[in-house]
């Protein structure tokens, strides 16, 4: 019976495009109908975010004769986003209709997810392994894509992207929700001194919360209380929601983030902050060489 059930899940995943590499989430069985009424989907459909991201990063990809392609898979109810390559080796980002329709996702969260997917192409070391081999793939590890997203990408996007909907959609008049909103604002103010930083912090929390919704994460996500787990081998796939949030916040706070050299082949220490307290957290990253 378990074999039949597993096969059914595999066939369903294949049908909905879940077998692609480098998904923002692990494969999951959460599906949201494509006809859902959602502000994020309407804004995404207008192409605002897409055009800003393309304007910033196409010049980088064009140096190698490539073109960034972003597809909204409106008819796909799966909740995910993927980085892949087409037959011409162009970088391709696919966002599913289920992701666009997720009730917790803010517009800024969607922009950050796009930045994460671009990070798979430009984030550099450490890179994922090919299957069960020790050979490296073209894609940066999930944690490294998160780090790239807030250190470089989303700050550039927010300079061009108007603040249409960047508040937490999930916050309601419920007292506990209001308390969470107040705490989140206080934490963002604690770690940030300028509006852009706070906006990135809020987007990072939003994305981590969406991730937590499919990861069965039961704790409260915090911008200041860190994941205290320590790995002794780098995790190339998806860290825990709090660990991913820690990674995005560390990159965000790096004082020299603009000078970080990502995508330096073979150098896993290059794509991170020089300041020790803002390097990639040990909840997923373990350097093969000492600092």
């Amino acid at each position: 019976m378990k074999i039949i059930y597993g096969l059914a899940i595999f066939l369903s995943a294949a049908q909905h495009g879940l077998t692609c590499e480098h998904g923002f989430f692990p494969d999951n069985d959460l599906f949201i109908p494509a006809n859902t009424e959602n502000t994020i989907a309407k804004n995404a459909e207008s192409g605002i975010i897409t055009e800003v991201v393309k304007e910033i990063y196409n010049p980088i990809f064009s140096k190698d004769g490539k073109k960034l392609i972003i597809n909204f898979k409106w008819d796909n109810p799966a909740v995910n986003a993927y980085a892949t390559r087409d037959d011409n080796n162009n970088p391709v980002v696919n966002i599913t209709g289920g992701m666009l329709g997720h009730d917790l996702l803010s517009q800024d969260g969607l922009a950050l997810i796009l930045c994460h997917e671009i990070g798979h192409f430009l984030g550099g070391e450490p890179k994922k392994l090919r299957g069960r081999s020790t050979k490296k793939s073209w894609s940066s590890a999930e944690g490294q894509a998160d780090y790239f997203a807030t250190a470089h990408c989303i700050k550039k996007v927010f300079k061009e992207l108007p603040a249409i909907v960047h508040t937490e959609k999930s916050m309601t008049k419920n007292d506990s929700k209001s308390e969470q909103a107040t705490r989140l604002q206080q934490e963002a103010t604690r770690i940030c001194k300028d509006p852009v930083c706070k906006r990135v912090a809020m987007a990072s929390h939003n994305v981590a919360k969406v991730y937590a919704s499919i990861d069965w994460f039961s704790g409260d996500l915090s911008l200041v209380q860190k994941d205290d787990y320590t790995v002794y081998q780098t995790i190339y796939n998806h860290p825990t929601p709090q660990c991913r949030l820690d990674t995005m916040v560390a990159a965000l706070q790096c004082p020299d983030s603009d000078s970080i050299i990502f995508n330096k082949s073979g150098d896993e220490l290059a794509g991170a902050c020089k300041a020790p307290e803002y390097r990639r957290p040990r909840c997923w990253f373990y350097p093969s060489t000492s600092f």
Side-chain angles (χ1 to χ4, degrees):
M1 186 67 179
K2 290 182 178 179
I3 295 175
I4 295 175
Y5 179 70
L7 178 61
I9 292 178
F10 174 81
L11 292 174
S12 176
Q15 178 182 2
H16 295 295
L18 292 179
T19 56
C20 298
E21 280 190 302
H22 319 305
F24 183 78
F25 296 151
D27 289 354
N28 64 85
D29 57 0
L30 179 61
F31 299 100
I32 298 175
N35 62 355
T36 183
E37 290 294 329
N38 188 284
T39 303
I40 306 308
K42 293 177 182 177
N43 285 333
E45 191 173 22
S46 70
I48 297 174
I49 300 173
T50 301
E51 292 309 312
V52 168
V53 172
K54 284 183 176 180
E55 183 178 351
I56 294 171
Y57 284 100
N58 256 328
I60 296 175
F61 290 114
S62 65
K63 292 179 181 179
D64 295 323
K66 306 303 177 184
K67 180 181 179 181
L68 175 62
I69 300 170
I70 299 176
N71 298 317
F72 292 141
K73 302 290 187 178
W74 297 101
D75 294 332
N76 189 338
V79 178
N80 224 321
Y82 299 95
T84 186
R85 294 180 182 274
D86 66 10
D87 293 340
N88 296 316
N89 208 29
N90 288 309
V92 178
V93 174
N94 293 323
I95 310 291
T96 66
M99 174 67 85
L100 294 166
H102 198 297
D103 187 56
L104 296 180
L105 185 64
S106 70
Q107 183 185 20
D108 281 6
L110 175 58
L112 185 53
I113 287 174
L114 282 173
C115 281
H116 166 92
E117 297 307 325
I118 291 172
H120 279 300
F121 301 108
L122 301 178
E125 303 283 349
K127 293 193 174 183
K128 288 189 172 186
L129 303 179
R130 297 179 183 178
R132 297 183 178 180
S133 73
T134 57
K135 294 182 178 179
K136 294 179 180 180
S137 76
W138 55 264
S139 172
S140 296
E142 295 296 335
Q144 186 66 13
D146 284 336
Y147 199 88
F148 170 89
T150 53
H152 271 202
C153 179
I154 198 62
K155 296 175 184 177
K156 296 179 180 179
V157 173
F158 282 171
K159 288 181 180 179
E160 305 295 332
L161 185 68
I164 300 174
V165 183
H166 66 271
T167 56
E168 291 272 309
K169 286 182 79 277
S170 61
M171 297 305 177
T172 67
K173 294 182 179 179
N174 179 279
D175 289 340
S176 62
K177 295 288 186 179
S178 297
E179 290 175 5
Q180 290 178 21
T182 300
R183 178 175 60 82
L184 180 59
Q185 290 285 356
Q186 291 173 342
E187 288 184 347
T189 301
R190 178 177 169 181
I191 67 173
C192 293
K193 297 180 180 179
D194 63 85
V196 173
C197 176
K198 291 179 182 179
R199 188 176 176 187
V200 176
M202 296 290 284
S204 299
H205 186 275
N206 178 259
V207 166
K209 185 165 58 177
V210 175
Y211 178 41
S213 74
I214 64 96
D215 191 60
W216 297 283
F217 181 81
S218 59
D220 290 330
L221 294 167
S222 173
L223 295 173
V224 296
Q225 300 296 325
K226 308 300 182 183
D227 188 328
D228 58 3
Y229 183 73
T230 299
V231 299
Y232 294 95
Q233 183 176 353
T234 294
I235 297 174
Y236 297 98
N237 289 319
H238 305 83
T240 66
Q242 182 61 57
C243 182
R244 294 189 76 171
L245 181 55
D246 293 349
T247 301
M248 290 184 280
V249 170
L252 166 64
Q253 291 182 285
C254 178
D256 59 344
S257 60
D258 289 340
S259 64
I260 297 175
I261 302 175
F262 289 97
N263 214 21
K264 187 176 181 180
S265 180
D267 188 352
E268 68 175 16
L269 301 184
C273 191
K274 294 179 181 179
E277 62 268 37
Y278 304 127
R279 290 173 181 164
R280 293 158 293 196
R282 289 296 182 91
C283 54
W284 73 269
F285 179 71
Y286 188 83
S288 59
T289 56
S290 61
F291 288 98

